[in-house]
Amino acid sequence: MTRNIRILLSSTIAVVVIGAAGLVASTLIPAPAPKIASLVTGSIGGPFTLTAADGRTVTDQTYQGTWLLIYFGYTSCPDACPTALNNMGVALDRLGPDAAALQPIFITVDPKRDTREVLADYLKSFDPHIVALTGTADQIAAVAKEYRVYVSAHSESGNDYTVDHSNLHYLINPNGRFVNVLPGDLPGDDMADRLRELMKHTV
């Protein structure tokens, strides 16, 4: 084997080894988070017009200057919604005087069954500070889209059907901007601690 051929083979092997090492490194080092995530987060929330259980018209401007904690669900929900609303009530109690700066809101994703009267009766089982909102099918679809809420109704048989939906609390600051989400099944004490932290350190 000539000297030139040996050099050529050595160079080729080195390139292959370096390339393999680079491939391994790229799989071990986590890629940076995509910048688009912040853009999607910033686009959560927006204008809406809905009707409260007491008949009042409520818009995104109604509670301007107040922190909002919004949960999307429905009154026939078997587990997730009652748990989330109970957790919300416990969090409000745990917050004490700080709860005065926060307005909890329950928005139905099932306007067909959740009339004002149904919502008013449903809320009797939860913290009295929670405001329940409903609206037309188009109004509910619009606000769900604004908040990027997943909603999927199962096949209907009269009024006997279920609705899959996101199980999240959405925190909105007094300027109407989205801050963060909290899991619907987050225990009330933990929720209060998290809310206090977010409300204290978020502009």
Side-chain angles (χ1 to χ4, degrees), residues 75-99:
T75 62
S76 298
C77 180
D79 300 307
C81 300
T83 298
L85 293 179
N86 274 322
N87 290 339
M88 187 183 280
V90 172
L92 292 172
D93 287 340
R94 174 70 181 270
L95 284 171
D98 292 337

Side-chain angles (χ1 to χ4, degrees), residues 67 171 173-174 177-179 197-203:
W67 287 87
L171 182 63
N173 74 12
R177 294 186 61 82
F178 170 80
V179 174
E197 178 184 356
L198 288 169
M199 292 166 66
K200 181 179 179 180
H201 298 291
T202 305
V203 178

